[in-house]
C-alpha cells in the first residue's frame, strides 16, 4: 500500500483565528529531541544512567523491543516504511531498538511471505539503519527462525512434533540441517552488519526454533543436540559462537533468553540460569528476556497482566551473569520502567508496544513530561491482532504507527473555528489533531467528564489502562488550547458561528425488542458499568459480543482481587504454583442468538484469556438462543426446540448499540453541513480503533 492516505491540509480561508503553540506540533509527529539526558538531570535517574553493552555505551536503559509489524514481509516497499517508522522513534529519543524478526533462511520464515536475510546484497536494509543513525541511535536486526511455529509448508524443528497452535507438523532436522542453519545465522548476521545494523538480537524464546532445541517439550533427540541439558543447549551456544566469529567485536549480540517457558516440559530455572551463563561465555553482550511460549495458556502481555508483572522472572537471573539483563512485558510507563531498574529487577527495560503508541516515549520521559505520553493500553487490537489477521500492524491509540509515510499532516494554512460535539475518543482525537494544526477548537460534552464509552470500559478488569488514554487526550487538549465545554448539550443554534461542525455524539445501548424488557430487573451495560444500577447475585447477560464478554468478566471478578498486583496475578493464574480459584462474585449466564463459539470476544490474541476466566468462574454460555420474555421468574428462552427458564436476579443488555445522531440529522435537514464520525456515523462494529482513526483523519483534513 503506497498511496497517501491524506491530502495535505486544505487551503483554508479564515485568517482571523490565532494558532496555539504550533511549535509543539505534534505529539504524533516528533519534531526532534536532543539527547543525552544524564542521570543527574532526569526525573528517572536509573533509566537515564548510561549502560555499557559489549564495546558500546548506551546513553540510557530503554530498549524499543522487537515488534513484528508485517512490513518485514513486504520487500523494499515495506523496508522504506520501516525506515520511517524507526526514524521517527529515533528522532523521538529512543537510542536502541530492535527490528521485527527476519529469518536466517527460507525454512525459518514465519509465513510463506516472511522476511529472510540470505542475499549478500541487503543494501535495501541500509535505508533502515541509515535512517536511525541519522538521529544518533542504534538499531539491531532480529534474527528469528520460527521452527515449528512457521505458518508455511516447509517447516523444520529439532523433533517432528506439531505445535498446538499450528496445523503443520515440522520435518525433523538432521545433522546437515543443523550445521547449515548455524551457518545461516552467522551469514545473516554478517549481512546485517554489512547493511549497517549495530547488532543482532537472536530470538531464543517464545517457543521459536532455538527455544525448541533447549526445552525437553520439543526436543526428543537422542544425538548430540538432544537429551541432556548440555546437548539441548548446544544449538544456541553454537549459533552465538558462529555469529560472534562472523562479526566485528563491537557488533552487539543480544540473546533473547526464555526466562520462563510457561509450558509443560519447559526448561526448569536451573537450566535457564545455566543457559544464560553459556550464552555469555559464547559471546552474547546482553540478555533480553522472553516470557512464555506462544502456545502458553497464561497471559503474558494482555491487559490481564499487571504492569511489570513478569519482571521478577528476570530478577531471578540478576547476579548470575556479568552481562546486562533486560526485563520485558507490560512495562508501559517510565515510572514502571524506572521502578524495575531501581528495584534491581534488571539493568535495562524493553518496551515494544509502548513505542507504537508514542514515538516520543523516550524523549518525553527524558524531558520529565511523562504525562504527555500516549500510553499503550495493552489491548493488542491494532498491533498483534492485525498481524495475525494478515494486516499491517498499527496502534489503537496512535493510528500513525507504521503509517508514518502515509498519514502526515501540516499546520493549517488558515485557522478555522471548529465545533466538535461529543468528547468520546472520536471527538477527542479529532479535537486534538485539529487544534495541533492550529484550528480554534471548541469541544462540547453533555457529561461531566470526557471519555464517552472509555469511561465505562475502564471498569472492566484490565481496562484500567483506558484512564491513561483519557489523561493523554486531556493533556493534549489543554496544551493546544481546546475549549472544553463540559455539562453542555450543544444545540443547532449554539453551533451557528462555527466554520466546521463535527458530530461525535457516539452511541447508546440497543434495547432489544423482547417482551418484558422494561422489567425492573433489566439494566443496560451502561447502567451497570457506570454504577447507576446494582446487579443481583445471579445475572443473565444478553449478547456475547465484545461488550457482553467484558461485562461477564466484570461480573465474575467484581471486587474479588486487584488486577494491578503482580502477586495476585501469579496466584490467580498459577504461575509457579497451583492456580487459586475464587468463588465468582456473580453467577453469570452469557447468551447469544447465533451458534458460533462463545465467550472469546473480538480479540484474536486476547479472546482466549476472557474465555478461560469465564470457564474457570463456571459461567454458563448458551448459544442458539431465542428470547421469549422477561418476567418475575427470570428470562424465558428457547434453545433449539427446547424452552428454558433462566432464573436470575438481574439481566444486563449487551445487544450492541445504536447511533446517537438526532442533532446531526436535524442540522442536515436544515441543509447545514456537518461531519459525522465514530459511533454517531455507524454504530455497528464500532470500536475504539475506528473511532480514534476517524477522528484523527478528520482532524488532519479540516
Ligand atoms: P457487538 O459485538 O455487535 O455484539 C452485540 C451482540 O448482541 C451481538 O453479537 C448479537 O449477538 C447481540 N445482539 C444484537 N442485536 C440483538 C438484538 N436485537 N437482540 C438480542 N441480541 C442482539 O457489539 P458490542 O458487544 O456492543 O461491541 C461493540 C463494538 O465494540 C464491537 O465492534 C466490538 O468488537 C467492540 N469491542 C471490542 C472490545 C475489545 O476488547 N477489543 C471490547 C468490547 C467491545 P447475537 O445476534 O448472536 O445474539
Ligand atoms: Fe498498545 Fe493496543 Fe496500541 Fe497495540 S494497539 S500498541 S496494545 S495500545
Amino acid at each position: 500500500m503506497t498511496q497517501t492516505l491524506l491530502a495535505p491540509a486544505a487551503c483554508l480561508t479564515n485568517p482571523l483565528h490565532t494558532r496555539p503553540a504550533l511549535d509543539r506540533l505534534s505529539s504524533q509527529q516528533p519534531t526532534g529531541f536532543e539527547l543525552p539526558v544524564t542521570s543527574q538531570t532526569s526525573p528517572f535517574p536509573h533509566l537515564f544512567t548510561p549502560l555499557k553493552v559489549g564495546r558500546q555505551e548506551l546513553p540510557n536503559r530503554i530498549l524499543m523491543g522487537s515488534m513484528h509489524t508485517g512490513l518485514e514481509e513486504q520487500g523494499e516497499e515495506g523496508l522504506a516504511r520501516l525506515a520511517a517508522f524507526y526514524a521517527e522513534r529515533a528522532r523521538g529519543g529512543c537510542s536502541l531498538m530492535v527490528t521485527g524478526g527476519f529469518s536466517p533462511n527460507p525454512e525459518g520464515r514465519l509465513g510463506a511471505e516472511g522476511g529472510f536475510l540470505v542475499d549478500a546484497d541487503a543494501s535495501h536494509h541500509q535505508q533502515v539503519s541509515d535512517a536511525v543513525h541519522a538521529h544518533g541511535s542504534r538499531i539491531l536486526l532480529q534474527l528469528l527462525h520460527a521452527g515449528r511455529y512457521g505458518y508455511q509448508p516447509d517447516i523444520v524443528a529439532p523433533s517432528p512434533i506439531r505445535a498446538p497452535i499450528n496445523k503443520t507438523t515440522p520435518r525433523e532436522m538432521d545433522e546437515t540441517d543443523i550445521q547449515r542453519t548455524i551457518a545461516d545465522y552467522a551469514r545473516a548476521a554478517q549481512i546485517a552488519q554489512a547493511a549497517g545494523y549495530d547488532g543482532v538480537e537472536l530470538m531464543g524464546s517464545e517457543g521459536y526454533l532455538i527455544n525448541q532445541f533447549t526445552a525437553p517439550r520439543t526436543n526428543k533427540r537422542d544425538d548430540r543436540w538432544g537429551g541432556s541439558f548440555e546437548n539441548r543447549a548446544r544449538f544456541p551456544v553454537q549459533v552465538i559462537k558462529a555469529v560472534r566469529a562472523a562479526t566485528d567485536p563491537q557488533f552487539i549480540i543480544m540473546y533473547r533468553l526464555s526466562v520462563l517457558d510457561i509450558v509443560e516440559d519447559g526448561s526448569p530455572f536451573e537450566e535457564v540460569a545455566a543457559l544464560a551463563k553459556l550464552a555469555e561465555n559464547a559471546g552474547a553482550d546482553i540478555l533480553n528476556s522472553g516470557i512464555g511460549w506462544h502456545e502458553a495458556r497464561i497471559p503474558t502481555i494482555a491487559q490481564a497482566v499487571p504492569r511489570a508483572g513478569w519482571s521478577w522472572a528476570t530478577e531471578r537471573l540478576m547476579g548470575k551473569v556479568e552481562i546486562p539483563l533486560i526485563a520485558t512485558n507490560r512495562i508501559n510507563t517510565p515510572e514502571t520502567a524506572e521502578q524495575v531498574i531501581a528495584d534491581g529487577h534488571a539493568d535495562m527495560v524493553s518496551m515494544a508496544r509502548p513505542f507504537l503508541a508514542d514515538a516520543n516515549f523516550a524523549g518525553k520521559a527524558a524531558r520529565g513530561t511523562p504525562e504527555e505520553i500516549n500510553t499503550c493500553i495493552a489491548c493488542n487490537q491494532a498491533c498483534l491482532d492485525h498481524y495475525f489477521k494478515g494486516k499491517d500492524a498499527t496502534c489503537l491509540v496512535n493510528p500513525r504507527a507504521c503509517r508514518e509515510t502515509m498519514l502526515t499532516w501540516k499546520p493549517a494554512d488558515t485557522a478555522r473555528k471548529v465545533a466538535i460535539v461529543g468528547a468520546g475518543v472520536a471527538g477527542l482525537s479529532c479535537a486534538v489533531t485539529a487544534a495541533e494544526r492550529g484550528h480554534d477548537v471548541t469541544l462540547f460534552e453533555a457529561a461531566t467528564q470526557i471519555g464517552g464509552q472509555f469511561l465505562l470500559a475502564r471498569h472492566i478488569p484490565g481496562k484500567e489502562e483506558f484512564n491513561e488514554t483519557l489523561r493523554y487526550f486531556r493533556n493534549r487538549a489543554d496544551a493546544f488550547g481546546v475549549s472544553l465545554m463540559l455539562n453542555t448539550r450543544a444545540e443547532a443554534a449554539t453551533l451557528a458561528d462555527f466554520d466546521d461542525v463535527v458530530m461525535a455524539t457516539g452511541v447508546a445501548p440497543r434495547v432489544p425488542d423482547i417482551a418484558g424488557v422494561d422489567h425492573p430487573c433489566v439494566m443496560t451495560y451502561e447502567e451497570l458499568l457506570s454504577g447507576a444500577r446494582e446487579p443481583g447475585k445471579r445475572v443473565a447477560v444478553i449478547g456475547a459480543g465484545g461488550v457482553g464478554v467484558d461485562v461477564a468478566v466484570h461480573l465474575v471478578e467484581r471486587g474479588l482481587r486487584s488486577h494491578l498486583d503482580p502477586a495476585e496475578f501469579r496466584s490467580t493464574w498459577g504461575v509457579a504454583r497451583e492456580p487459586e480459584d475464587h468463588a465468582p462474585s456473580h453467577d453469570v449466564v452469557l447468551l447469544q442468538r447465533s451458534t458460533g463459539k462463545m465467550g472469546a470476544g473480538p480479540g484474536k490474541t486476547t479472546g482466549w484469556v476472557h474465555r478461560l476466566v469465564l470457564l474457570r468462574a463456571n459461567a454458563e454460555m448458551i448459544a442458539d438462543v431465542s428470547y421469549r420474555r422477561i418476567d418475575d421468574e427470570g428470562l424465558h428462552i428457547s434453545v433449539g426446540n427446547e424452552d428454558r427458564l433462566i432464573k436470575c436476579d438481574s439481566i444486563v443488555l449487551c445487544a450492541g448499540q445504536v447511533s446517537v445522531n438526532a442533532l446531526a440529522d436535524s442540522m442536515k435537514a436544515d441543509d447545514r453541513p456537518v461531519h459525522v464520525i465514530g459511533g454517531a456515523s455507524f454504530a455497528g462494529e464500532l470500536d475504539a480503533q475506528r473511532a480514534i482513526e476517524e477522528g484523527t483523519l478528520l482532524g488532519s483534513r479540516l
Side-chain angles (χ1 to χ4, degrees):
M1 200 165 43
T2 51
Q3 79 273 23
T4 301
L5 284 183
L6 293 176
C11 180
L12 306 171
T13 50
N14 187 342
L16 296 178
H17 305 296
T18 53
R19 295 179 191 179
L22 276 190
D23 56 322
R24 297 179 67 184
L25 183 110
S26 124
S27 64
Q28 307 286 15
Q29 301 187 101
T31 49
F33 180 75
E34 297 294 320
L35 287 175
V37 168
T38 67
S39 56
Q40 283 80 39
T41 58
S42 169
F44 303 108
H46 293 88
L47 216 43
F48 287 93
T49 297
L51 179 69
K52 194 142 191 310
V53 175
R55 300 197 179 188
Q56 312 260 6
E57 182 163 287
L58 306 177
N60 59 55
R61 282 132 190 273
I62 298 175
L63 170 71
M64 175 180 163
S66 173
M67 175 83 214
H68 211 74
T69 63
L71 300 177
E72 297 77 8
E73 285 139 32
Q74 296 175 26
E76 289 198 33
E77 193 182 298
L79 284 170
R81 284 176 59 190
L82 279 175
F85 170 71
Y86 292 119
E88 195 151 307
R89 273 91 196 140
R91 192 160 66 239
C94 179
S95 55
L96 183 66
M97 51 193 81
V98 183
T99 67
F102 290 86
S103 175
N105 60 29
E107 64 210 17
R109 284 173 299 168
L110 278 166
E113 306 297 322
F116 58 98
L117 212 61
V118 294
D119 190 349
D121 177 18
S123 49
H124 43 293
H125 274 266
Q126 190 83 43
Q127 61 187 316
V128 176
S129 55
D130 282 351
V132 170
H133 294 158
H135 301 286
S137 302
R138 294 178 176 87
I139 184 162
L140 314 184
L141 178 128
Q142 189 189 66
L143 288 177
L144 182 158
H145 188 305
R148 71 177 195 157
Y149 276 172
Y151 292 100
Q152 40 105 354
D154 302 319
I155 56 176
V156 295
S159 300
I161 306 168
R162 186 177 65 78
I165 56 171
N166 202 347
K167 291 196 176 110
T168 310
T169 302
R171 177 175 65 79
E172 185 175 43
M173 297 168 82
D174 61 20
E175 178 72 26
T176 312
D177 291 320
I178 294 174
Q179 294 294 354
R180 180 178 42 80
T181 304
I182 292 168
D184 288 341
Y185 270 101
R187 182 173 158 75
Q190 258 176 345
I191 297 170
Q193 182 177 277
Y197 288 106
D198 301 279
V200 285
E201 179 181 64
L202 300 171
M203 179 42 135
S205 63
E206 261 78 1
Y208 291 115
L209 181 75
I210 293 178
N211 212 177
Q212 290 159 28
F213 269 95
T214 56
R217 176 182 181 81
T218 40
N219 185 343
K220 306 292 183 195
R221 304 178 72 94
D222 55 11
D223 59 4
R224 67 194 188 106
W225 304 99
S228 67
F229 165 70
E230 286 68 27
N231 282 354
R232 282 180 281 113
R234 194 181 309 282
F235 184 71
V237 167
Q238 293 303 321
V239 167
I240 298 168
K241 282 185 172 169
V243 169
R244 184 77 287 162
T247 54
D248 293 341
Q250 70 272 20
F251 190 70
I252 296 173
I253 299 180
M254 180 180 286
Y255 181 77
R256 182 111 175 241
L257 176 73
S258 184
V259 296
L260 213 53
D261 290 337
I262 326 184
V263 286
E264 217 174 293
D265 278 338
S267 299
F269 176 68
E270 301 68 44
E271 290 191 1
V272 172
L275 181 57
K277 197 67 201 166
L278 287 175
E280 176 180 24
N281 293 341
D285 297 308
I286 185 165
L287 297 178
N288 196 358
S289 303
I291 310 278
W293 291 29
H294 287 314
E295 67 207 63
R297 277 303 167 252
I298 291 179
T300 55
I301 58 168
Q303 285 171 331
V305 180
R307 289 180 183 176
W310 292 105
S311 66
W312 61 272
T314 303
E315 191 236 338
R316 293 192 302 179
L317 289 168
M318 290 292 274
K320 300 221 175 323
V321 286
E322 308 291 315
I323 53 178
L325 287 163
I326 307 174
T328 183
N329 287 36
R330 280 293 278 128
I331 299 169
N332 64 341
T333 67
E335 291 86 348
T336 310
E338 171 74 8
Q339 200 62 49
V340 167
I341 299 177
D343 288 347
H345 285 195
D347 302 295
M348 190 171 191
V349 287
S350 172
M351 292 170 274
R353 296 173 298 170
F355 279 95
L356 261 76
D358 196 326
N360 288 335
F361 182 102
K364 289 173 182 176
R367 263 204 310 268
T369 55
E371 69 283 359
E372 291 182 5
I373 290 174
N374 195 1
T375 304
C376 166
I377 58 175
C379 62
N380 283 0
Q381 204 172 316
C383 51
L384 289 177
D385 285 352
H386 266 214
Y387 178 70
F388 285 114
K389 285 185 212 154
K391 293 160 76 178
D392 296 346
T394 179
C395 174
L396 181 143
V397 299
N398 174 18
R400 286 197 73 241
C402 301
R403 298 154 163 180
E404 287 74 12
T405 53
M406 296 158 17
L407 228 172
T408 55
W409 53 85
K410 298 193 300 192
D413 292 334
T414 310
R416 288 167 73 88
K417 239 183 128 182
V418 179
I420 299 174
V421 185
V425 291
L428 285 164
S429 55
C430 185
V432 299
T433 309
E436 283 175 9
R437 292 184 47 237
H439 290 308
D440 175 8
V441 178
T442 304
L443 180 57
F444 296 94
E445 171 55 54
T448 55
Q449 301 177 67
I450 63 165
Q453 298 288 303
F454 264 41
L455 289 174
L456 303 175
R458 65 189 178 151
H459 296 296
I460 306 296
K463 294 198 171 175
E464 299 86 359
E465 295 285 9
F466 283 36
N467 283 313
E468 300 293 351
T469 309
L470 298 183
R471 181 260 310 143
Y472 167 77
F473 276 128
R474 201 175 299 116
N475 198 285
R476 302 310 298 165
D478 280 355
F480 291 100
V482 173
S483 305
L484 183 57
M485 311 286 284
L486 293 173
N487 284 313
T488 309
R489 194 169 285 281
E491 308 290 347
T494 332
L495 305 172
D497 282 345
F498 290 88
D499 302 320
D500 292 289
V501 175
V502 178
M503 290 293 172
T505 37
V507 292
R510 174 187 287 125
V511 177
D513 187 15
I514 303 171
V517 78
D518 54 355
H519 190 278
C521 75
V522 180
M523 65 189 78
T524 63
Y525 70 85
E526 189 174 75
E527 289 171 318
L528 171 80
L529 294 175
S530 66
R533 297 280 302 276
E534 240 341 90
K537 175 74 179 158
R538 192 169 156 80
V539 187
V541 177
I542 290 184
V547 170
V549 170
D550 274 356
V551 160
V553 169
H554 167 78
L555 286 166
V556 299
E557 299 216 326
R558 222 159 164 249
L560 281 188
R561 63 190 174 89
S562 161
H563 291 86
L564 309 176
D565 178 5
E568 288 247 16
F569 170 77
R570 284 159 68 178
S571 70
T572 303
W573 286 93
V575 181
R577 67 185 85 165
E578 281 303 302
E580 277 176 29
D581 277 325
H582 302 277
S585 74
H586 294 267
D587 300 328
V588 171
V589 185
L590 182 62
L591 304 132
Q592 72 178 25
R593 299 176 302 181
S594 46
T595 50
K597 185 176 173 186
M598 289 192 69
K604 190 168 169 58
T605 58
T606 51
W608 63 270
V609 180
H610 300 134
R611 191 173 160 80
L612 218 53
V613 169
L614 294 178
L615 289 174
R616 281 177 55 189
N618 294 322
E620 193 180 354
M621 298 183 221
I622 313 177
D624 194 15
V625 164
S626 303
Y627 302 107
R628 290 170 48 230
R629 68 176 188 282
I630 296 165
D631 60 22
D632 290 346
E633 285 186 298
L635 175 62
H636 298 261
I637 59 171
S638 304
V639 185
N641 293 327
E642 197 184 316
D643 291 347
R644 252 190 88 174
L645 167 64
I646 307 291
K647 289 191 173 169
C648 52
D649 309 306
S650 304
I651 296 172
V652 183
L653 302 177
C654 302
Q657 290 89 14
V658 291
S659 297
V660 175
N661 47 19
L663 181 55
D665 288 347
S666 79
M667 288 186 65
K668 282 182 194 163
D670 290 344
D671 274 344
R672 291 187 51 194
V674 287
H675 305 274
V676 186
I677 57 171
S681 124
F682 177 57
E685 294 181 11
L686 171 71
D687 62 44
Q689 186 189 343
R690 175 161 73 81
I692 292 178
E693 187 166 311
E694 280 185 20
T696 307
L697 289 178
L698 179 61
S700 67
R701 272 196 306 250
L702 286 172

